[in-house]
Amino acid sequence: MTQDEHKEGIKGMVNPGRYGIERVAYWLMRLSGLGLLAYFIGHIYETSNILRGQVGWTEFLELTQTTEGHAILAIVIAMCVFHTVNGIRVMLGHGGIGVGKPARPDYPYDPASQNYRHKIGIYSAIVLAAVAMMYGLAVMFGE
Amino acid sequence: MAQVSGIADEQTSTPLSSSNTILLRISRFNPEHDDSSQFMEFTVPYERWTTVLEAILDVKKHFDHSVAVRYSCRQATCGSCGMMINGKPRLACFTKISELNSNVVTVEPMNNFPIIRDLAVKFERLFDTHQKIKPYLIRDDSELVSDEREFLQSPEEVEQYIQFANCIKCGLCNSACPTMATDSSFVGPQALAQAYRYVADSRDKGKDSRLKIIDDSHGIWRCHFAGSCSQVCPKGVDPAMGIQLLRGYLLGFRS
């Protein structure tokens, strides 16, 4: 990317709300995807400790039994749920399902593709992620 | 300052009189001389109906005639005056200052387009990608030789594409697109929506060749359905819908 192209670049991710909830969902999808990738790499590293035998495995597993470990796992649960639910919404949209039908637009030109079905899908993904995270926190930290 | 007053005296035909004023911040940048852009600030009077373009032209008339801005029709038809207005791509002639609900209006050149100077940007890439998807009817015969009759279409067939024929190539969708913000090779929502416009046209027979063009790693698969293109379109084209319907052809949901 060169200065000449005047690309917005990564800073285009800042303030996603200016383009509505759909852009926020895009931003959260990116963040949760990167977070889950980081968790996946960490998870492979963690499970590889089984090669150090039972003692090494138990030692490493204790890292996840801390307050910080529980907090990270709760965030992973939220990312996983949001990425799954929103991913289903996006996949259906990619197939042209639920994006509306072409028609002569009338002012003020509300885009049919940004319809209530997709908004419900996005808010559902956020709410389900929050509920799953809270349930995970309740289980990990106990009653 | 005396020079600025002289310009104002010479060119003023309508007096600046209004009780309402805004602070207009204009991004100034000349790639030939400047390393980075700077903002110049002007206090501009406005009425309820004053557009951002009119405010910029007021600045050119009364304060600084060197501000570079492209415009023509002043009625959202030519697609020339696209710019970032308070952080969002809009047509300056189609945006009233009063609807921005802010005492400060910041205008910058559109993102994802090379800057010519100040608010004027280059459109070459947009036109190149537009041409790339073959924006014309493709078929072996023509209206002129087939018994001198036009190709008939039902109203329902027209409805399939007429929305996408409203595109004025202003570039706002490309400026808002998050993929365009990072991928220099992405074909962009404007061209993809136009690909759908012709694929959906019952008179066109070039569907396969167009789908082949956009079925590319920097083609339609780079669209992630953020929908920002549709949010900013001033003509109700809804490129996000067109792109997803187009992708439906490639995924086998449509034929």
Side-chain angles (χ1 to χ4, degrees), chain B residues 5 18 36-37 40 82 94 97 143 153 237 249:
Chain B
S5 299
S18 175
S36 62
S37 62
M40 286 185 75
F94 201 49
I97 288 171
E143 290 175 307
Q153 281 189 309
V237 170
Y249 287 104

Side-chain angles (χ1 to χ4, degrees), chain A residues 48-64:
Chain A
S48 70
N49 274 280
I50 204 164
L51 297 173
R52 291 167 58 207
Q54 188 178 356
V55 176
W57 169 255
T58 308
E59 269 180 17
F60 201 86
L61 207 60
E62 282 173 3
L63 286 176
T64 62

Side-chain angles (χ1 to χ4, degrees), chain B residues 70-144:
Chain B
R70 183 195 286 122
Y71 70 100
S72 181
C73 73
R74 307 189 192 202
Q75 55 180 10
T77 301
C78 71
S80 301
C81 64
M83 60 186 71
M84 301 295 289
I85 300 174
N86 283 1
K88 209 171 164 182
R90 307 174 206 249
L91 290 182
C93 72
F94 201 49
T95 306
K96 289 202 288 276
I97 288 171
S98 56
E99 72 189 27
L100 294 171
N101 296 320
S102 173
N103 292 326
V104 180
V105 175
T106 303
V107 291
E108 301 164 88
M110 278 197 294
N111 290 321
N112 312 330
F113 287 87
I115 300 172
I116 299 171
R117 193 157 67 84
D118 299 341
L119 304 172
V121 295
K122 291 180 185 170
F123 272 82
E124 278 85 350
R125 185 154 181 277
L126 182 137
F127 294 144
D128 286 348
T129 52
H130 180 72
Q131 285 183 329
K132 186 180 171 186
I133 56 94
K134 302 182 180 177
Y136 41 81
L137 294 181
I138 298 173
R139 54 188 296 156
D140 294 332
D141 57 348
S142 101
E143 290 175 307
L144 295 177

Side-chain angles (χ1 to χ4, degrees), chain B residues 18 21 39 53 62 83 99 110 125 133 144-145 167 177 189-190 215 222 227 237 239 243 245 251:
Chain B
S18 175
T21 59
F39 284 98
L53 178 62
H62 298 288
M83 60 186 71
E99 72 189 27
M110 278 197 294
R125 185 154 181 277
I133 56 94
L144 295 177
V145 294
C167 177
C177 175
Q190 188 278 334
D215 184 11
R222 281 290 167 104
V237 170
I243 296 168
L245 294 176
L251 292 173

Side-chain angles (χ1 to χ4, degrees), chain A residues 6-7 9 18 23 30 112-113, chain B residues 87 112 176 180-181 224 228 238:
Chain A
H6 189 49
K7 293 276 180 196
R18 64 191 157 144
R23 184 69 169 254
R30 283 286 160 113
S113 64
Chain B
N112 312 330
M180 292 291 291
H224 301 293
S228 308
D238 201 348

Side-chain angles (χ1 to χ4, degrees), chain B residues 188-212:
Chain B
Q190 188 278 334
L192 288 171
Q194 290 312 292
Y196 176 76
R197 178 254 175 271
Y198 287 96
V199 166
D201 193 322
S202 61
R203 299 167 297 179
D204 184 75
K205 305 295 178 196
K207 183 179 83 175
D208 291 341
S209 66
R210 282 198 195 84
L211 292 182
K212 202 173 175 182

